[in-house]
Amino acid sequence: MSSPAERYAAARRKAAQAAQFPALDEFALELGFDLDDFQREACQSLERGSGVLVCAPTGAGKTVVGEFAVHLALRGRPDDPVPAADPTTPPARRKCFYTTPIKALSNQKYHDLVARYGAEQVGLLTGDNAINGDAPVVVMTTEVLRNMLYAGSSTLQGLAYVVMDEVHYLADRFRGGVWEEVIIHLPASVTLVSLSATVSNAEEFADWLVTVRGETAVVVSEHRPVPLWQHMLVGKRMFDLFHDADAARKHDVHPELLRYTRETARRLELGEGRSAGPGAGRRGPRWRGPLRPDIVDRLDREGLLPAILFIFSRAGCAAAVQQCLAAGLRLTSPEERAEIRRVVESRVTAIPGEDLSILGYWEWLDGLERGLAAHHAGMLPVFKEIVEELFVRGLVKAVFATETLALGINMPARCVVLERLVKYNGEAHVDLTPGEYTQLTGRAGRRGIDVEGHAVVVWSPETDPRHVAGLASTRTYPLRSSFRPSYNMAVNLVGTVGAEPARALLESSFAQFQADRSVVGLARQVQRNTETIEAYGAEAACHHGDFDEYFALRVAIADREKAIARQGQTQRKAAAVAALERLRVGDVIRVPSGRRAGLAVVLDPATGGFGEPRPLVLTQDRWAGRVSPGDFTTPAEVLARIRVPKHFNHRSPAARRDLAAEVSGTGLDRHGGRRGGRSRQVTGEDHRITQLRTELRHHPCHACPEREDHARWAERRRRLERDTEELRERVSGRTGSLARTFDRIVALLTERGYLAADGAVTDAGRMLGRIWTEADLLVAECLRRGVWNGLSPAELAAAVSVVVFEARRDVDERASLPRGPVADAVDETLKLWGEIEADEAARGLTATREPDLGFAWPVYRWARGEALAKVLGSGHEIDGEMPAGDFVRWARQVVDLLGQIADSGGAAPELRSTARQAIAATNRGVLAYHTSA
């Protein structure tokens, strides 16, 4: 209990603060809760007229600072002149733009601000929506603001504040450069409010902001408003990761957890705990962790729901929901189930019933009504939005999600579970970084609802608790710039400020700022590596002769063998493709290996020209789906034929059972006497390898008894030499690297007629400056050469799709195309791409991505009005049908590019009209609903 004197002193301090920061005092009174120290410090800096960078954990309340910038803009300047005729006129209002990285966040923030300030004061500008764009407060995606700056939009008049929410997105390798473009190009009179997750190099980022934006206050808060407790689930036992907060600071793992995991691992090594049954006789430990339904049930019993369970696989998320349904889990009351069904039915009324069946609606609804759902990018956007709404309302209790959820809208939980600490990044399986771990677990703990949040890591023999402790305790999440000049950026910069000032602007980017600072460290590493290489060379030296020469022969043999193996693989693939193309309905074949190994009957030969043949088959295990040449290590051979009913429905369990019984009734051996080994082709010895091996055997060093030891040191030296050469190239390339890249881009654009010799922007350059896509120059060239002229609306949608689509995984074979005008247009596009790539290679520029044909058939069929089931089935996917969420996302990007073509002054009038028709043809069904939702 404070004394009267202390209460009086506190009141005096509060009054003094109110006098010094009147706007903040007004704002705080409207909030209805006390500001945290970091929020107050940042808001005070803003009211003093300084820019501000706020770094704080997820859920800490950073957006309050952005909302204060909105308050300041609407309040107006106290020193704004007041007309003498009417002293009651309020101060002139200024503008505030609130930018976010994704449309979902923009929509959410727009609704929040409308609820607070009214619809007449707030606008929204995204790729899909334009509402009240002249309002004093406008919420928008960052790309919209970038485009405004280049176009010199009149909407920028009166702009006083720009809030950049989630500014750490500038590290995103695909879109991050947009953030830097905005920060560099905003007028000096605009005050910048940057809101970021906790990053370890906030001071470095702030130093750069000061150089380009002037005075910028840095406010960093490590404090989580809701404490986070870390746990590990080992089998059926849950352990705290740390004994207490002091142990967490020292990374000291709970002794009981260490003892139990070591004992479990030891028992596994000795063979205990291995299940009997298939595979029990194999060597090595087998660990089966807790089942997903058991984990959810455990969380429910311990009062830790709602929970997000991160599974780094779309298929894994869907399978987890099915496993929980099969286990009979039900997490909702009858009242909650009724409310869930009401919400869902109100949101999907516009989607046709036949589409809902294709999208797995009924199974999805069953999961929702039980409080269970998946959340990943392959889902239909409206399905994801419903899951988010129901989860935030507490109706869905457990969501199985990929890591994309961590970057999405505000969706906190009481508990977060990580099933593994490894994820696939599109190229390889990699360990989670401390920054990613922090971002994922940051969802745990809902401010104002939960007293504490919980993060649970599921243990496996590969998971060391000390490694988890390091992830949980490390605050290393450095912000790394992904900025690089593009063709569109170059013509816009030259057109806006001129070539030399544009060069200077690029030199002031955060990318160059970081590059200049990093050169010192790289140079030191090169020196250390050089000394180590000399030491390795001494170890590899052989008294019998020149070991470098001998080792070069070994490397040449290995390289030649790899080249021959690749050639053989290509030949086997071609044979498998040819065999599948010959299949007919009713052919019984043997799938030699993989999950679907065994006999199968062909239901649909799939020779309709959708890329590589992918026949629909039914296996004797009753699985129906498409197989690809990748499933066949040897060419498919027709072993027998059986009759397939004319209107066979492979989705019917009874029909599958009866036909699978006929397949088994053929009496054929399931595995054909062997288990899917690769055919060994007897080929003659390669002449070059024979020659190299002869030279190797006759080399003096071949007789050295320590030959293999020398070879190991030589291999280490070779790898280190390769790494060191890369470091040297990085050192030489980083100093002034962006300006050099810009000069090369300008030279290429000048040669191709987008810039004049005197640096002026030509008509073609102005057209390029309004094309916002990764393949901007390729699109501009297609428009200039008339590649897309004369196409129908559906053909145009298919033709432009190849410059925006990018498959999730590399596919060896090229997808097929609709014959005729589409194929001709795409061939021309590929020729243009080849010309551009050659120019880029000659100048040392990053190559424009090769067009990807994998989306041409789906969007062509969709724009022609065909059913969703056929459209998704025609995708060039490794795993079968194209997921509905992927289809909607790529179709939206096609529509966006078609809109740019329709508005392009450089396109032929007929083509612009066709683009508008293509947009109308594409925006239907699931797309039209998504647009209006």
Side-chain angles (χ1 to χ4, degrees):
M1 187 73 181
S2 57
S3 67
E6 288 171 333
R7 289 197 296 273
Y8 175 70
R12 286 284 301 271
R13 281 195 302 274
K14 194 170 181 180
Q17 277 191 348
Q20 189 178 357
F21 302 105
L24 179 56
D25 191 51
E26 291 171 15
F27 178 71
L29 286 172
E30 294 170 7
L31 285 178
F33 59 83
D34 291 336
L35 290 171
D36 291 340
D37 290 344
F38 86 92
Q39 293 168 329
R40 185 172 295 280
E41 181 186 347
C43 290
Q44 287 175 352
S45 297
L46 263 184
E47 190 164 358
R48 277 194 293 263
S50 167
V52 65
L53 167 64
V54 182
C55 298
T58 302
K62 297 184 290 288
T63 54
V64 167
V65 183
E67 289 165 6
F68 180 58
V70 172
H71 176 82
L72 286 173
L74 292 177
R75 185 174 185 266
R77 285 188 298 261
D79 55 345
D80 280 336
V82 177
D86 186 4
T88 63
T89 301
R93 287 190 171 178
R94 298 169 293 170
K95 288 184 177 180
C96 176
F97 288 172
Y98 198 112
T99 73
T100 72
I102 54 179
K103 292 170 187 174
L105 274 173
S106 292
N107 292 335
Q108 187 180 52
K109 182 51 65 176
Y110 168 72
H111 291 303
D112 290 347
L113 292 175
V114 165
R116 182 163 183 171
Y117 296 109
E120 70 284 351
Q121 299 276 32
V122 185
L124 175 67
L125 293 174
T126 66
D128 297 339
N129 289 304
I131 304 169
N132 198 16
D134 293 323
V137 177
V138 184
V139 183
M140 61 185 69
T141 48
T142 317
E143 280 86 352
V144 170
L145 178 53
R146 186 269 312 271
N147 299 354
M148 276 187 188
L149 289 166
Y150 280 144
S153 171
S154 59
T155 311
L156 296 167
Q157 290 178 4
L159 182 61
Y161 296 92
V162 166
V163 179
M164 301 197 80
D165 203 354
E166 311 282 355
V167 77
H168 53 272
Y169 253 76
L170 68 78
D172 183 89
R173 68 190 180 104
F174 297 112
R175 299 170 55 215
V178 177
W179 274 253
E180 287 187 54
E181 287 181 78
V182 169
I183 292 169
I184 292 170
H185 291 103
L186 276 175
S189 59
V190 176
T191 301
L192 187 67
V193 181
S194 305
L195 309 179
S196 169
T198 309
V199 293
S200 54
N201 61 335
E203 289 74 17
E204 179 188 37
F205 184 50
D207 288 346
W208 173 69
L209 284 174
V210 169
T211 64
V212 293
R213 303 297 315 162
E215 185 184 355
T216 303
V218 188
V219 179
V220 178
S221 173
E222 294 277 356
H223 174 69
R224 277 182 54 97
V226 179
L228 178 65
W229 293 95
Q230 309 272 352
H231 313 278
M232 285 199 81
L233 183 61
V234 188
K236 295 183 177 181
R237 291 191 61 180
M238 184 93 79
F239 294 88
D240 290 339
L241 185 60
F242 304 113
H243 180 64
D244 53 28
D246 189 47
R249 279 191 292 273
K250 296 176 182 175
H251 301 201
D252 288 344
V253 177
H254 200 297
E256 182 65 15
L257 169 62
L258 274 179
R259 187 196 63 76
Y260 189 79
T261 53
R262 284 170 180 162
E263 181 64 24
T264 304
R266 189 186 66 80
R267 285 202 308 271
L268 285 168
E269 288 295 337
L270 294 173
E272 298 174 35
R274 277 188 281 169
S275 59
R282 296 177 193 160
R283 295 182 62 192
R286 288 194 59 178
W287 168 255
R288 288 184 178 169
L291 298 173
R292 289 158 176 166
D294 294 342
I295 294 175
V296 175
D297 186 52
R298 174 73 177 268
L299 297 177
D300 186 28
R301 283 187 281 108
E302 298 202 9
L304 295 179
L305 298 180
I308 300 171
L309 297 93
F310 284 109
I311 299 172
F312 302 120
S313 149
R314 295 179 179 186
C317 291
V321 175
Q322 291 305 314
Q323 290 158 12
C324 290
L325 295 180
L329 268 186
R330 192 180 291 279
L331 307 172
T332 52
S333 66
E335 295 76 18
E336 287 173 327
R337 288 196 288 278
E339 177 62 10
I340 288 168
R341 184 173 278 268
R342 187 195 66 76
V343 170
V344 173
E345 289 178 348
S346 69
R347 295 289 302 274
V348 301
T349 49
I351 302 180
E354 61 270 22
D355 286 355
L356 288 176
S357 297
I358 293 300
L359 297 168
Y361 169 76
W362 299 107
E363 296 87 345
W364 174 71
L365 179 59
D366 184 27
L368 288 178
E369 290 186 342
R370 295 175 183 231
L372 302 157
H375 187 289
H376 56 75
M379 292 170 62
L380 194 68
V382 68
F383 282 17
K384 278 198 301 179
E385 291 162 13
I386 292 169
V387 170
E388 290 161 4
E389 178 184 340
L390 295 175
F391 188 79
V392 169
R393 289 180 56 182
L395 295 170
V396 165
K397 319 289 184 179
V399 168
F400 298 93
T402 56
E403 78 271 20
T404 52
L405 179 61
L407 305 173
I409 64 170
N410 184 28
M411 196 171 156
R414 179 168 295 165
C415 178
V416 162
V417 177
L418 297 181
E419 190 174 79
R420 297 178 68 208
L421 297 177
V422 175
K423 68 167 188 173
Y424 185 74
N425 66 359
E427 296 173 358
H429 286 89
V430 296
D431 291 336
L432 284 183
T433 65
E436 288 166 335
Y437 182 90
T438 302
Q439 201 167 31
L440 294 166
T441 56
R443 290 275 172 195
R446 298 164 297 173
R447 189 169 190 174
I449 301 174
D450 299 323
V451 176
E452 57 194 25
H454 299 267
V456 179
V457 174
V458 180
W459 181 83
S460 68
E462 299 80 33
T463 309
D464 186 343
R466 289 167 298 188
H467 173 61
V468 180
L471 289 175
S473 308
T474 307
R475 290 291 175 263
T476 51
Y477 180 49
L479 204 53
R480 293 278 174 256
S481 172
S482 60
F483 180 82
R484 64 182 179 87
S486 66
Y487 299 112
N488 167 285
M489 184 195 302
V491 293
N492 278 310
L493 278 175
V494 172
T496 307
V497 298
E500 276 309 308
R503 211 170 177 277
L505 275 172
L506 289 174
E507 292 280 12
S508 67
S509 68
F510 186 44
Q512 193 61 60
F513 187 83
Q514 286 191 311
D516 293 343
R517 283 192 169 191
S518 67
V519 163
V520 177
L522 288 176
R524 285 184 188 144
Q525 185 62 46
V526 167
Q527 181 59 37
R528 284 196 294 269
N529 284 7
T530 304
E531 293 167 3
T532 308
I533 286 168
E534 290 174 5
Y536 286 174
E539 294 289 347
C542 177
H543 65 281
H544 284 267
D546 185 348
F547 199 85
D548 288 349
E549 186 180 79
Y550 177 77
F551 187 71
L553 287 171
R554 290 175 65 140
V555 171
I557 291 170
D559 290 346
R560 182 68 181 164
E561 286 174 339
K562 286 176 187 171
I564 291 171
R566 281 195 298 269
Q567 185 180 354
Q569 191 176 11
T570 303
Q571 290 170 350
R572 284 194 298 273
K573 182 71 174 287
V577 167
L580 290 186
E581 285 175 340
R582 291 193 293 269
L583 294 178
R584 295 291 176 266
V585 175
D587 286 348
V588 177
I589 60 173
R590 183 179 291 112
V591 182
S593 60
R595 288 182 301 167
R596 310 303 176 195
L599 298 175
V601 61
V602 177
L603 305 178
D604 174 15
T607 54
F610 305 125
E612 65 173 21
R614 291 189 298 122
L616 178 66
V617 303
L618 173 71
T619 68
Q620 63 191 115
D621 297 323
R622 305 181 192 175
W623 175 83
R626 295 196 180 275
V627 291
S628 72
D631 295 310
F632 292 84
T633 52
T634 56
E637 182 184 350
V638 179
L639 306 172
R641 283 188 59 81
I642 62 174
R643 183 181 168 279
V644 176
K646 189 170 184 181
H647 299 293
F648 182 77
N649 178 9
H650 69 273
R651 299 183 189 276
S652 163
R656 288 202 306 269
R657 181 193 63 220
D658 294 344
L659 191 59
E662 281 194 54
V663 174
S664 298
T666 59
L668 293 166
D669 182 9
R670 180 187 183 96
H671 296 292
R674 59 178 185 157
R675 292 188 176 265
R678 292 191 179 275
S679 62
R680 295 190 176 274
Q681 297 178 351
V682 180
T683 57
E685 182 72 29
D686 180 73
H687 174 69
R688 179 59 182 152
I689 287 184
T690 304
Q691 183 183 355
L692 288 169
R693 283 179 176 155
T694 302
E695 290 179 37
L696 189 78
R697 284 193 295 271
H698 289 93
H699 196 283
C701 292
H702 193 67
C704 178
E706 297 178 347
R707 180 186 68 200
E708 293 309 311
D709 283 341
H710 295 324
R712 278 191 286 274
W713 286 110
E715 176 61 24
R716 288 172 190 162
R717 183 179 65 176
R718 185 171 77 100
R719 289 178 182 170
L720 194 56
E721 282 174 340
R722 190 173 56 212
D723 294 344
T724 306
E725 189 54 39
E726 287 178 7
L727 285 176
R728 286 198 180 100
E729 288 175 6
R730 284 162 66 187
V731 169
S732 63
R734 285 192 177 185
T735 311
S737 54
L738 288 179
R740 281 202 303 277
T741 302
F742 177 73
D743 290 342
R744 293 169 189 159
I745 287 174
V746 167
L748 189 150
L749 292 174
T750 303
E751 184 179 299
R752 286 185 167 267
Y754 293 94
L755 295 173
D758 61 358
V761 179
T762 63
D763 289 342
R766 280 185 280 277
M767 174 186 68
L768 174 59
R770 294 294 167 267
I771 295 171
W772 313 99
T773 184
E774 192 180 347
D776 45 13
L777 182 59
L778 180 57
V779 172
E781 287 288 299
C782 287
L783 292 175
R784 289 176 75 192
R785 309 273 187 99
V787 169
W788 297 326
N789 293 353
L791 298 176
S792 71
E795 290 167 347
L796 179 61
V800 304
S801 75
V802 304
V803 298
V804 296
F805 178 71
E806 185 174 9
R808 289 180 68 222
R809 291 185 176 89
D810 289 337
V811 181
D812 292 338
E813 60 288 326
R814 173 176 157 174
S816 68
L817 294 163
R819 291 195 180 98
V822 175
D824 295 341
V826 171
D827 282 343
E828 283 300 309
T829 304
L830 287 167
K831 285 177 189 172
L832 286 176
W833 170 77
E835 294 172 13
I836 292 170
E837 188 198 31
D839 281 356
E840 289 167 333
R843 289 180 165 81
L845 291 168
T846 303
T848 297
R849 183 174 55 80
E850 182 177 2
D852 191 322
L853 283 51
F855 194 58
W857 266 113
V859 77
Y860 175 72
R861 291 186 139 195
W862 182 254
R864 288 179 59 188
E866 295 191 31
L868 183 63
K870 277 192 173 183
V871 170
L872 299 181
S874 62
H876 189 62
E877 296 284 308
I878 295 175
D879 303 325
E881 291 186 347
M882 170 172 269
D886 288 347
F887 171 73
V888 169
R889 184 170 74 257
W890 290 116
R892 293 301 308 153
Q893 292 201 29
V894 170
V895 167
D896 181 64
L897 182 54
L898 288 169
Q900 294 177 41
I901 293 170
D903 295 337
S904 172
E910 182 194 350
L911 177 60
R912 294 170 67 179
S913 173
T914 306
R916 282 188 280 272
Q917 294 172 48
I919 292 170
T922 308
N923 268 334
R924 67 178 182 87
V926 289
L927 253 80
Y929 183 77
H930 172 54
T931 304
S932 60

